[in-house]
Amino acid sequence: MEKFKTLTAVAAPLPMINVDTDKVIPARFLKTIKRTGLGKHLFDPMRYDDKGAEKPGFVLNKAPYRDARILIAGENFGCGSSREHAPWALLDFGIRCVIAPSFADIFFNNCFKNGILPIVLPQETVDELMEDAGKGGNATFTVDLEAQEIARPDGEKIAFEVDPFRKHCLLNGLDDIGLTLERGGKIDGYEGTQRGGQPWLWSGATPA
Amino acid sequence: MSRPRTLFDKIWDSHVVDTQEDGTCLLYIDRHLVHEVTSPQAFEGLRTAGRPVRRPEATLAVPDHNVPTTDRSQGVDDEESRIQLDALETNCAEFGVPYIPVTDIRQGIVHIIGPEQGMTQPGMTIVCGDSHTSTHGAFGALAFGIGTSEVEHVLATQTLIQRPAKNMRIAVDGALPNGVTAKDMILAIIGKIGTAGGTGHVIEYAGEAVRALSMEGRMTMCNMSIEAGARAGLVAPDETTFAYIEGRPMAPKGGQWEQAVAYWRSLPSDEGAVYDKEVTLRAADIAPQVTWGTSPQDVLPITGSVPDPAAIADTVRRESVERSLEYMGLAAGMPLSEVPVDTVFIGSCTNGRIEDLRAAAVVAKGRKVAEGVQALIVPGSGLVKAQAEEEGLDTIFLEAGFEWREPGCSMCLAMNADKLKPGERSASTSNRNFEGRQGPGGRTHLVSPAMAAAAAINGHLTDVRDLTG
């Protein structure tokens, strides 16, 4: 996983609530066995017409936002399907940070597994950032994960919260599985206890 | 005396392998269900790192999302689907994961077959790379959807890194009126609390109306917990639960059955357990529900009318409703029972079980599907299909003009050939009415199986109580 330290970029404003992961990437694009190459399908229904041509009105089709690496959206972003193809598509497009008043749980979790930083801020703050973001190519933001601060285009700093363990993993690009396997002895111990106390969980697990 | 605990607390506490200083837990996972869409990248990750699957025997894989629902004896035409389906089979063989092939009568939607095989049991932790894993909570198991990175994590370690969720209790008091089902109950709940109403929480469903439900009905409710934003849904295990599980292929056997049941009886929430949020509904207030918009919270009784966005003060919400109505091709004030449908879909992990097909058959019996309406019945598994055929339900459906298909996810998410064309409108027993969910430009109205059958017969959304009395 790529480390996340600081990010300076244009932010794309997407002032919509309840953006579901079907909207981020429809199911018909999930027939892949790879994690990469999904950026071209990001927000497909909003980004392209039924002939496959770009809709000029959609934010990511406008000049400064083609290079956006930050996305600012409305409440409950990423609701619906657990598909990790949603963060994969964002990442493949270049988005490394999503800012919203709230996120759906699974999407929020999936972001951290892919080096994307989701930031929750109060609605009023998101509204202000959304307005900044609307100023286009001249409005760049800097997200500093170590300091837990976003610098607005005018230089004002906004603090944000992040879970310490997730922050540590993002800053260092750590692989969760490697960390967990280091605790293999504890997993062995747990399994031994469960096998003794709840033996039915250990017999007949496989279908006949 | 220790602190009274909820059902969720008890399952959580009994699965914590290790707790870090900041409260992050390593949680043990008892069972892992796998399907073809969210697993290939996970197996690839294991292969690259040279890691085995820690407990293949606690894992079960089945193809469901991509499979055709027409004759599949000749394989799958769609190349991308075929590659993904082949990858699942190859990966399972390579890593020793039990696999139910599409040709097996037990094949079906992953959340139908777990319970059907007796794999799903109270007190377990169960995960799958699919948000509707919440279905299994009907058994009093902590079951939730995960992303592909977490699928890989579970395959490699049989654990997940998690923080505990908050507790939410939703009680539905009293008995459900005639014609009102588990699907109507969960839709009414989502309408009340919203699609983010359960975010960060595990919802325990309680109250007389929930206790009276069959396991099928409880699964329908828990299934759509994710549509209420919750991480998982739960129903306390009871005699209904034990009776459903007993004798199934993967259920505990012999002396272990008694031991398991004794443990399961200790799981229901303690008297005085505290919930972070509590919501109560009266069953008598719930009518058959139908969605009108593009979010499951956009739901009303069938007796209602399309809402008027002009009455909404908040700009973002008003624009959201305007956008929904434009997409849905509906005008404010139109009675919902006058909305015509082109397609009817009965199936999915929400409503693809035997009881759902029986409810639809009661309405279909002796009637005909309206001219111009295509009506699909897609059983949730091969065993559901066989059971329905044994009961003669297939004959009822075929005589009424419904199509009788092979099991799979089908038109719930349109990854196979079953999809709406742009502008087409469906009454669907599935779980999501998102834009494009059932095909690009398709318009979805979520309903119960009986309501879907009624819409097929009349050619428009219909109050099923008008047909069944």
Side-chain angles (χ1 to χ4, degrees), chain B residues 231-251:
Chain B
R231 202 68 214 276
L234 284 170
V235 174
D238 59 12
E239 298 308 319
T240 306
T241 321
F242 311 149
Y244 180 97
I245 298 170
E246 190 168 17
R248 291 184 183 267
M250 296 165 80

Side-chain angles (χ1 to χ4, degrees), chain B residues 202-405:
Chain B
V202 166
I203 300 175
E204 182 178 338
Y205 301 101
E208 185 192 336
V210 174
R211 293 251 67 84
L213 290 175
S214 64
M215 289 315 296
E216 285 85 351
R218 294 177 189 185
M219 284 190 254
T220 299
M221 285 195 78
C222 288
N223 172 276
M224 289 191 72
S225 300
I226 186 73
E227 273 65 54
R231 202 68 214 276
L234 284 170
V235 174
D238 59 12
E239 298 308 319
T240 306
T241 321
F242 311 149
Y244 180 97
I245 298 170
E246 190 168 17
R248 291 184 183 267
M250 296 165 80
K253 301 281 188 302
Q256 288 189 351
W257 170 257
E258 303 302 329
Q259 199 182 353
V261 172
Y263 175 70
W264 296 344
R265 288 190 200 283
S266 74
L267 290 170
S269 298
D270 297 329
E271 192 74 34
V274 178
Y275 294 83
D276 300 281
K277 255 191 202 178
E278 292 201 57
V279 175
T280 304
L281 285 81
R282 283 178 3 134
D285 294 341
I286 302 174
Q289 304 281 305
V290 56
T291 61
W292 51 264
T294 54
S295 164
Q297 71 187 13
D298 300 340
V299 67
L300 283 169
I302 181 67
T303 49
S305 302
V306 176
D308 185 358
I312 301 170
D314 181 81
T315 315
V316 177
R317 286 185 189 283
R318 185 172 61 245
E319 285 172 359
S320 170
V321 171
E322 282 168 353
R323 183 189 158 93
S324 281
L325 293 186
E326 190 190 334
Y327 180 85
M328 293 297 290
L330 293 175
M334 181 179 187
L336 289 167
S337 59
E338 289 177 10
V339 175
V341 299
D342 308 295
T343 304
V344 168
F345 171 63
I346 297 176
S348 84
C349 58
T350 312
N351 282 127
R353 285 168 286 267
I354 187 68
E355 183 182 285
D356 301 314
L357 303 192
R358 287 178 190 146
V362 166
V363 178
K365 190 168 188 176
R367 297 191 169 99
K368 293 282 178 204
V369 170
E371 203 176 317
V373 172
Q374 185 188 24
L376 268 68
I377 313 264
V378 183
S381 72
L383 289 171
V384 169
K385 182 169 186 258
Q387 172 74 29
E389 288 172 353
E390 201 180 304
E391 296 178 18
L393 304 186
D394 58 326
T395 312
I396 294 173
F397 289 128
L398 288 166
E399 283 178 355
F402 289 82
E403 295 175 31
W404 183 243
R405 298 289 190 95

Side-chain angles (χ1 to χ4, degrees), chain A residues 19-49 51-54 58 60-61 83 85-95, chain B residues 41 80 435 440:
Chain A
V19 174
D20 56 72
T21 52
D22 274 82
K23 218 171 249 155
V24 179
I25 184 158
R28 63 185 182 280
F29 302 118
L30 309 189
K31 296 180 189 183
T32 173
I33 54 172
K34 299 195 179 83
R35 289 173 198 251
T36 51
L38 292 169
K40 59 180 179 290
H41 303 306
L42 177 68
F43 295 124
D44 182 277
M46 296 193 278
R47 196 165 148 205
Y48 307 107
D49 65 21
K51 303 273 188 300
E54 287 186 358
F58 184 66
L60 296 184
N61 292 331
R83 60 189 67 164
H85 309 71
W88 292 339
L90 285 165
L91 190 66
D92 197 58
F93 180 88
I95 303 288
Chain B
Q41 295 86 353
E80 286 180 299
E435 288 180 28

